[in-house]
Amino acid sequence: MRIGTGFIAGIITGAIWGLVWMVVVSVTFMLVSGAITRPPVGAAMLAGAAAGAMATAFDPDRRTPGLQIGTLAVIAIVLAAATFGLPLGLPLAVAAIYQAIAIAAIIALIWAATRACMHGISGGRLTRYQLEIVFIRLMKGLGLVFFTVLVALPFYVMVMTSLKSQQSLLANPLDFSLDFSQGAQGLFRSYVELFADYHFGTFLANSTIVSVATVIITLLFAVPGAYAVARLRFPGQAFLSQSILLIYMVPAIVLVIPLYAVFSQLGLRDTLTGLMIVYPATTIPVALYMLQGYFRGIPSELEEAGLMDGLTRVGVISKITLPLSLPALASVALYVFMIAWNEFLFAFMFLDNIDIFTLSRGVVSLNSSEVPRQHLMAGAVVATIPVLVIFLWFERFLVSGLTAGSVKG
Amino acid sequence: MTVHPDKTAGASAPPDRLGPMARREMGLAYTMLLPTFAIVLAIVLGPLLANFWISVKPIGLGDLRPAALLVNERLRGDFDGPGTTATLEYRLRNSSQDKPIEGAGFTDTLPEGLTVAGDVDERCTVNGAALTCTLGEIEPRFRDSIRIEVAADAAYLADPVNPRDSDAAVTGTSDNVLTNLEFTWDNFSRIFSSSDFWTVLKTTLYYTVFGTAGALVTGLFAAQLLNTAFKGRSILRGLFLFPYVAPVIAVAFTWIVLLDPFSGTLNSILRQMGVIDAPINFFGQRAVPLNFFGLTIEFPVALTTVIVFEAWRYFPLSFLFILARMQSISSEMYEAAEIDGATPLQQFWYISLPQLVGILAVLFLLRFIWTFNKFDDIFLLTGGAAGTRTLTVNVYEQAFAISNLGAGAAVAVVVFAVLLAFSLIFFKYSPQDEG
């Protein structure tokens, strides 16, 4: 056994993991169980440091399963001793089941993370290479925890708030424990009220109509345009294929005043038709750009063969090009659907009549002091779920389409 | 930069003259592009030009409804029997407070069974059941009424018809402030002389620069995390894209709830951990004084929070592109570096980063422009309060909150001009063609 930089690195790594897991797990424990505590962070750091010291005190090839069990025991003992038998700073009887799970999770996670970081690293003097390996493992682990919490916490709060009541949240903002005794009817009260009293059924239908119409119109316009730019020769072709994306750079806020003025006078402003004209106009350039990139990748010999065999251009497009570009069509359709579904500015400016509100516009109307917060969050969940489900379902398409469309050029 | 696959097909045609085949191809191409041109021209380029037009016009939100003659008719008095008379009254009003109407007048059809008795107002003529009144030019705030004695017959009295059932048809044209030739520089002089214009410009720059940099750096970090294979990687990749995919209204309101000073979860967590003593009003507080070695600086709280939101919401996009680029770097280079004894950080610095410069530059450009254009996020989070008002929020503020469309359009012109200037600088100095 040698004591060197590896040993010190092990202690520091263990202490950091002790801190992180204590904070993350005890906050999760508080959110789930509703119990309140101040997590004993110092004790957890001490336990982590002990785990790191114990792991690096042995050479990598002598870290037997017995040693691992010993490390787990050391973490548990140090944690218990340093907190005087209250590992989460709470009497063990409070939310006992949750607390038991939380304590077990803290011990196991500290052990696993420290072990993963110090895997194959001895306690002796480390080279710069090994030191950087430890550092990068630590940063990657911390990064994964950080990003997961960063992304998951808001969405967790969104869903859980929609299932709680205003009073209980004001009483204890950390308590997201669910009261299952009230039954499904009581748990989903906000959603029932949204659809019964706040016209969310209509909003959902309106959003669907506008988004699907936008997808269809966009494809109808962009497919021939993209084909022309990709395959046909005409003056200005090269310029168009490069510059069409510039249209996408024009800020919507610059367009909103003239469109508001003109649509008001034409009587198009407070209508869904107005939105179905504006949305495709903003999505067609992107769709055209993404599609022309894909069309270029299709071997032109296939189309020439079709022309030789007597097909017209339209026949070539519908019988050869489009069937071959189904993945691209799917990803463009998804992307356009997402833009139209999430659009806020024009919906907010144009729509006054509650019967034609889209979801974006409808959720904004919930943001007042008269409407309880859980309704607002339930509205947010209703607006998010369709687009997230579609996204997760077709994620592969969407990701490849997004990157292929915009990285090139 | 792209080799057109069909370049070779027409190589034999003389370059200066188009053959019939080429001309047909050209015609076809333009036909196929026509719908796209039409809608982009109508909804994007047209309004872009119209915005310049509106910015030099004295026009408020109320001017969008043109001045019109309002006619309100009713029957005064009761008929005592067949042949008796009552008064049909038309009350007239100019809807506008400040604009005259030219050639004003109206026509109406008298209800069946009513006939005109006695003199008719000199401005009106009756032809059978048709009543035509011409008023000529009427002043702003014009108010008047025309009374006509009418007699009823027995059939009418048996089944009275409300004269309102036939609406009066109004004629007359008023000056439409959108299309007339009255111009003014007031909008521009007003926004440039306003004291907070330069604050707004500065806020916009901070927001754009730090929001863009934040999204890029976090995206780069996240991409490094998921560049190695491990169990659950695809789940995490899906999860990391959530902020970008979810609707802005949903995530913005969630952040407002999460960061609420009284019932917000984050403030409770921080207080429970003993990090802060009093709750922080993340979206409501303009600035807190911070002390650095005796140097006091005003730390902008609300602005920082919206910048963090911006980075949070848009890191998935840069993450996705950077990850795609990193996975296309050949592993041989890393193997060679490994043999030469390069440490992991050296490998990142000398191999990965140079390969990523191209995509980072493109992303910076795109994100910079989009962040600069961004309106929804700040508008929903703070409404432009507490020192977070950017140019785009100012457009809304001027045009729709103060109801001065012209001033709003003038700010929009500034937005467009700044954007154009940035784009020109970028295209002049950006690294050429990587990615």
Side-chain angles (χ1 to χ4, degrees):
Chain A
M1 179 183 141
R2 290 161 295 159
I3 302 295
T5 41
F7 190 67
I8 298 167
I11 289 177
I12 295 174
T13 306
I16 292 174
W17 280 120
L19 168 85
V20 168
W21 287 125
M22 176 53 89
V23 170
V24 170
V25 174
S26 59
V27 167
T28 313
F29 162 75
M30 283 194 273
L31 293 181
V32 173
S33 72
I36 285 197
T37 177
R38 174 168 290 197
V41 170
M45 290 176 76
L46 212 59
M54 192 149 161
T56 43
F58 293 86
D59 278 338
D61 49 351
R62 291 179 51 216
R63 292 178 193 163
T64 56
L67 175 72
Q68 305 302 346
I69 294 168
T71 315
L72 278 169
V74 165
I75 299 172
I77 291 165
V78 174
L79 195 59
T83 55
F84 307 105
L86 306 174
L88 283 184
L90 273 181
L92 291 172
V94 179
I97 299 172
Y98 287 124
Q99 215 183 137
I101 297 172
I103 295 168
I106 290 177
I107 295 170
L109 286 169
I110 292 178
W111 165 74
T114 312
R115 188 175 108 104
C117 280
M118 303 314 291
H119 179 75
I121 303 291
S122 77
R125 194 164 178 273
L126 298 184
T127 62
R128 176 174 169 196
Y129 186 90
Q130 289 171 312
L131 217 50
E132 283 187 9
I133 290 277
V134 175
F135 176 73
I136 280 176
R137 282 176 184 167
L138 182 65
M139 291 315 284
K140 279 200 171 176
L142 291 177
L144 285 176
V145 174
F146 172 76
F147 274 102
T148 307
V149 169
L150 195 71
V151 173
L153 182 67
F155 286 94
Y156 180 81
V157 167
M158 177 162 98
V159 174
M160 288 302 165
T161 307
S162 72
L163 303 175
K164 300 284 292 186
S165 73
Q166 181 103 329
Q167 297 86 336
S168 69
L169 279 176
L170 277 172
N172 177 10
L174 278 179
D175 181 7
F176 284 110
S177 61
L178 294 181
D179 180 10
F180 288 107
S181 63
Q182 54 188 338
Q185 189 71 28
L187 204 57
F188 294 103
R189 195 188 306 116
S190 304
Y191 294 90
V192 174
E193 283 176 20
L194 276 190
F195 280 94
D197 307 335
Y198 291 90
H199 314 285
F200 260 63
T202 320
F203 300 166
L204 201 61
N206 289 336
S207 268
T208 312
I209 292 169
V210 171
S211 308
V212 171
T214 304
V215 170
I216 293 171
I217 298 172
T218 303
L219 286 183
L220 282 182
F221 278 54
V223 165
Y227 185 84
V229 172
R231 278 285 187 265
L232 304 178
R233 279 171 309 130
F234 58 95
Q237 181 210 25
F239 171 76
L240 258 185
S241 72
Q242 300 295 320
S243 63
I244 190 79
L245 257 197
L246 287 181
I247 300 293
Y248 202 47
M249 304 286 153
V250 176
I253 194 81
V254 175
L255 305 182
V256 85
I257 293 177
L259 285 176
Y260 186 95
V262 172
F263 275 33
S264 289
Q265 304 213 325
L266 295 179
L268 279 172
R269 187 173 67 79
D270 195 10
T271 63
L272 289 183
T273 318
L275 291 187
M276 288 187 230
I277 296 172
V278 174
Y279 289 178
T282 54
T283 51
I284 284 172
V286 207
L288 201 156
Y289 186 80
M290 286 164 81
L291 284 176
Q292 59 119 8
Y294 196 88
F295 288 166
R296 284 234 169 90
I298 298 175
S300 56
E301 287 80 7
L302 287 175
E303 293 175 6
E304 280 155 19
L307 284 174
M308 288 289 187
D309 289 346
L311 281 177
T312 58
R313 275 285 178 193
V314 178
V316 167
I317 295 175
S318 63
K319 292 213 171 68
I320 298 176
T321 316
L322 287 187
L324 283 175
S325 23
L326 275 183
L329 290 178
S331 71
V332 170
L334 280 171
Y335 188 56
V336 170
F337 182 88
M338 211 178 87
I339 293 179
W341 185 274
N342 293 352
E343 208 282 336
F344 164 72
L345 176 61
F346 286 104
F348 179 69
M349 295 288 183
F350 282 12
L351 304 181
D352 298 329
N353 177 0
I354 194 158
D355 291 328
I356 55 166
F357 275 9
T358 60
L359 274 174
S360 291
R361 182 69 185 84
V363 174
V364 175
S365 69
L366 294 181
N367 182 30
S368 83
S369 49
E370 289 142 39
V371 181
R373 287 276 127 157
Q374 68 269 25
H375 284 44
L376 180 65
M377 287 297 96
V381 172
V382 171
T384 308
I385 281 182
V387 74
L388 267 192
V389 166
I390 291 177
F391 162 75
L392 289 177
W393 206 263
F394 297 102
E395 189 199 331
R396 222 159 28 87
F397 280 134
L398 191 74
V399 168
S400 63
L402 264 179
T403 44
S406 330
V407 173
K408 292 172 196 159
Chain B
M1 55 193 294
T2 321
V3 177
H4 298 258
D6 43 12
K7 272 242 163 88
T8 49
S12 56
D16 53 340
R17 244 185 48 222
L18 292 170
M21 285 281 279
R23 221 175 300 142
R24 259 183 49 205
E25 196 172 317
M26 190 178 101
L28 183 65
Y30 285 141
T31 317
M32 289 167 95
L33 278 164
L34 192 67
T36 301
F37 280 146
I39 196 166
V40 167
L41 212 62
I43 305 296
V44 181
L45 297 180
L48 198 60
L49 294 177
N51 189 67
F52 285 96
W53 176 267
I54 294 176
S55 73
V56 288
K57 294 187 94 22
I59 177 172
L61 207 50
D63 297 325
L64 288 181
R65 233 175 298 129
L69 180 66
L70 303 181
V71 180
N72 192 359
E73 58 185 304
R74 63 177 181 157
L75 205 54
R76 299 184 69 160
D78 291 318
F79 296 106
D80 293 331
T84 57
T85 60
T87 308
L88 189 58
E89 185 189 45
Y90 290 90
R91 289 202 287 177
L92 311 168
R93 189 163 72 82
N94 182 348
S95 70
S96 167
Q97 300 287 314
D98 46 18
K99 277 190 223 64
I101 302 175
E102 282 183 48
F106 66 93
T107 59
D108 195 20
T109 313
L110 295 178
E112 211 167 312
L114 290 186
T115 44
V116 176
D119 287 340
V120 187
D121 191 295
E122 58 186 5
R123 292 169 289 187
C124 301
T125 56
V126 180
N127 186 2
L131 169 78
T132 310
C133 298
T134 41
L135 306 168
E137 179 172 339
I138 58 172
E139 297 300 305
R141 297 164 195 258
F142 166 89
R143 259 171 204 284
D144 201 357
S145 56
I146 289 176
R147 292 193 185 82
I148 295 168
E149 295 280 300
V150 285
D153 64 11
Y156 178 83
L157 289 174
D159 179 23
V161 185
N162 191 336
R164 275 190 212 198
D165 288 353
S166 70
D167 276 333
V170 179
T171 55
T173 53
S174 77
D175 199 18
N176 187 337
V177 73
L178 262 184
T179 48
N180 71 9
L181 293 177
E182 188 187 344
F183 298 109
T184 172
W185 290 111
D186 279 358
N187 298 323
F188 284 98
S189 59
R190 181 177 307 156
I191 61 160
F192 282 120
S193 63
S194 117
S195 60
D196 58 351
F197 178 77
W198 300 107
T199 326
V200 168
L201 198 62
K202 218 167 68 180
T203 310
T204 311
L205 280 184
Y206 278 136
Y207 175 69
T208 310
V209 170
F210 289 109
T212 305
L216 274 190
V217 172
T218 35
L220 181 62
F221 189 27
Q224 299 292 330
L225 297 178
L226 294 196
N227 195 28
T228 42
F230 58 88
K231 221 186 281 171
R233 180 171 79 149
S234 58
I235 295 174
L236 276 185
R237 192 181 72 166
L239 179 75
F240 282 11
L241 296 177
F242 273 25
Y244 180 68
V245 177
V248 61
I249 39 134
V251 288
F253 286 134
T254 304
W255 271 58
I256 293 176
V257 168
L258 180 68
L259 300 187
D260 189 276
F262 306 110
S263 62
T265 309
L266 191 71
N267 268 310
S268 306
I269 292 176
L270 291 179
R271 269 201 298 180
Q272 200 56 44
M273 296 287 160
V275 181
I276 54 172
D277 300 325
I280 303 174
N281 191 354
F282 285 101
F283 288 121
Q285 193 163 23
R286 181 179 292 265
V288 287
L290 280 189
N291 222 327
F292 277 122
F293 310 109
L295 206 72
T296 307
I297 55 162
E298 289 283 314
F299 181 76
V301 179
L303 184 58
T304 308
T305 315
V306 293
I307 288 172
V308 170
F309 177 83
E310 175 75 18
W312 178 81
R313 186 159 147 70
Y314 294 100
F315 90 84
L317 195 74
S318 36
F319 152 74
L320 210 56
F321 287 124
I322 295 170
L323 188 62
R325 183 73 187 87
M326 280 175 42
Q327 290 180 337
S328 69
I329 301 176
S330 95
S331 58
E332 285 165 27
M333 279 203 268
Y334 292 104
E335 284 157 19
E338 193 81 15
I339 290 169
D340 288 344
T343 65
L345 288 180
Q346 283 170 331
Q347 288 177 25
F348 172 73
W349 190 256
Y350 292 107
I351 298 179
S352 306
L353 217 47
Q355 297 270 337
L356 295 177
V357 164
I359 186 72
L360 284 176
V362 171
L363 280 175
F364 185 83
L365 172 71
L366 291 178
R367 282 258 40 98
F368 192 94
I369 291 172
W370 283 333
T371 312
F372 183 82
N373 290 350
K374 206 80 220 150
F375 164 79
D376 315 2
D377 305 32
I378 292 190
F379 178 75
L380 288 170
L381 290 174
T382 67
T388 58
R389 189 190 296 181
T390 56
L391 276 174
T392 49
V393 178
N394 208 20
V395 172
Y396 174 84
E397 195 78 12
Q398 299 284 346
F400 297 98
I402 309 179
S403 299
N404 189 344
L405 277 189
V411 181
V413 167
V414 176
V415 170
F416 190 69
V418 176
L419 192 64
L420 210 60
F422 280 138
S423 311
L424 290 179
I425 294 172
F426 274 130
F427 283 120
K428 197 146 191 277
Y429 294 104
S430 67
Q432 286 302 305
D433 210 344
E434 300 248 5

